[in-house]
Amino acid sequence: MTIKKIISQLIEKRRTWGYGAAIAVTPYLLIKIAWTFGLFMPTQQMGDISWRTANAITMVLAAVGILLAFAFSMPWGERLPAWLVTFPVWVGTGLLIPMLLLAPVLGPAAMIRDQKTGVANVWVYEQIFVIISLVGAGICLPLALAGYAKTRWPEAFVGPIAIDLLPGNSQKLYISLARLVAAGCILLGFIKVFWAAGGTIGITPAMLDNRDLWWHLLSLSTGVWSFAGSWGLLVLTTRRGSKSFFPPMATAWIASGMLFSYNLFNRLSATRADTQPPPEYPLAHVLTTELGSVLGVMMIMVILMVLHDRRRAMRGIKSRS
């Protein structure tokens, strides 16, 4: 059995994956509810209003994730407005899938770091539940989404990448935009990989020792996904470099969501009173952060234009046949 057939069989079981995602996210939701209301807090700092606000926001996101998991699993989910599904899915896949790849390293590292700072023992057990929820959601939710999207938007999954577009398409526009965005992604990728490898240009000298494993891995993840997104976007728009449409589309989708959502998450984390300042120079930090957000938004705009032209072309093919 080929890998393509195995993946196809996996995403056909979207109800199973949707229920699995809802079950996986539930412990995370319960922990966030407890922290929001001041229960089972491992440190006194988490009682601060900034921590409570951050936990309340992530509590709402977890609840939305559970609702989406059920929507992906049931027929009524296909009747929801497209915009109501697309935005949280875009942000969620951008957060979960890259984090899923980092969780086996970042999870234990976070627990060891917190134990050294003397947090309460209950924090270790809470961390374990959080990691299980994130990994479970990172596996189940994208598979449930893939089954849902394949049913509702088949043009994003099936067929070759090279199809005849109808007159009035936007190909010239999005090819130009894609080249501009890809150049920005490559620049951001080189900067992030350079920092992840230990480069010190753009880093405050007094903050060199603050670059822990978290910072290096997140910098590396951003750099790698920036390169992957530039590849996916160029392949989508030029229709060269892949025979199938889905691999570059999925790569560009995840990369764009990652660049946008991780910078959004960093801004949320920066509101906490105990947050350490970033090791980069303020200007370098702002430029790379904002560049990532802008590139993520521009990437999803290009993807949506490509999907729009592709849907028109596929409908034209069906009507002629």
Side-chain angles (χ1 to χ4, degrees):
M1 185 178 296
T2 64
I3 296 177
K4 186 176 181 180
K5 288 183 178 180
I6 293 174
I7 295 175
S8 178
Q9 290 182 358
L10 285 175
I11 64 178
E12 291 297 331
K13 300 179 180 179
R14 61 170 177 152
R15 177 168 294 186
T16 301
W17 297 116
Y19 290 162
I23 293 171
V25 176
T26 298
Y28 182 86
L29 174 62
L30 295 176
I31 289 173
K32 290 297 183 177
I33 292 173
W35 288 349
T36 300
F37 290 98
L39 303 174
F40 307 113
M41 289 187 172
T43 64
Q44 292 182 348
Q45 290 178 333
M46 291 186 66
D48 184 81
I49 186 63
S50 59
W51 265 103
R52 295 269 188 110
T53 302
N55 285 323
I57 293 173
T58 50
M59 175 186 70
V60 173
L61 292 176
V64 171
I66 291 176
L67 290 176
L68 283 175
F70 285 125
F72 296 157
S73 308
M74 301 179 182
W76 58 262
E78 297 177 19
R79 297 191 294 271
L80 292 174
W83 64 266
L84 190 62
V85 177
T86 303
F87 181 74
V89 163
W90 177 56
V91 174
T93 51
L95 277 172
L96 288 174
I97 293 180
M99 185 56 68
L100 177 64
L101 302 176
L102 299 177
V105 178
L106 288 184
M111 294 169 64
I112 293 172
R113 182 187 62 183
D114 292 336
Q115 282 182 319
K116 289 181 180 179
T117 60
V119 299
N121 290 331
V122 69
W123 175 241
V124 176
Y125 301 105
E126 290 172 333
Q127 285 273 49
I128 292 173
F129 281 118
V130 169
I131 293 171
I132 290 174
S133 290
L134 292 177
V135 172
I139 294 173
C140 296
L141 200 58
L143 288 171
L145 165 64
Y148 172 87
K150 187 176 181 181
T151 301
R152 186 167 182 178
W153 299 294
E155 64 274 6
F157 287 83
V158 298
I161 194 169
I163 62 174
D164 294 330
L165 300 179
L166 296 179
N169 63 74
S170 306
Q171 187 177 26
K172 291 184 179 180
L173 172 61
Y174 57 65
I175 285 179
S176 300
L177 283 176
R179 289 172 177 170
L180 177 63
V181 175
C185 287
I186 292 171
L187 174 62
L188 180 62
F190 274 118
I191 293 172
K192 289 292 186 176
V193 171
F194 173 74
W195 283 345
T200 58
I201 299 175
I203 306 298
T204 306
M207 302 289 289
L208 290 176
D209 294 335
N210 287 19
R211 301 178 299 167
D212 56 7
L213 181 62
W214 272 74
W215 185 86
H216 281 283
L217 283 180
L218 290 177
S219 296
L220 179 62
S221 178
T222 303
V224 170
W225 281 106
S226 295
F227 288 133
S230 64
W231 170 83
L233 206 62
L234 290 175
V235 172
L236 277 184
T237 54
T238 62
R239 300 188 291 175
R240 293 194 300 266
S242 174
K243 292 182 179 180
S244 299
F245 180 78
F246 179 68
M249 193 282 295
T251 302
W253 177 279
I254 296 170
S256 64
M258 187 272 178
L259 291 176
F260 177 81
S261 60
Y262 268 69
N263 289 319
L264 190 65
F265 180 78
N266 286 336
R267 292 192 192 96
L268 178 62
S269 300
T271 61
R272 301 199 312 260
D274 60 336
T275 301
Q276 295 292 326
E280 305 95 337
Y281 283 113
L283 180 60
H285 176 71
V286 170
L287 288 178
T288 53
T289 300
E290 298 305 322
L291 178 61
S293 297
V294 172
L295 290 173
V297 172
M298 292 182 68
M299 286 175 71
I300 194 63
M301 290 172 60
V302 172
I303 292 171
L304 293 176
M305 284 193 289
V306 171
L307 289 174
H308 177 264
D309 283 353
R310 186 175 177 85
R311 168 175 277 195
R312 288 179 65 235
M314 292 182 72
R315 285 178 175 176
I317 293 173
K318 287 181 179 180
S319 64
R320 289 194 300 269
S321 61

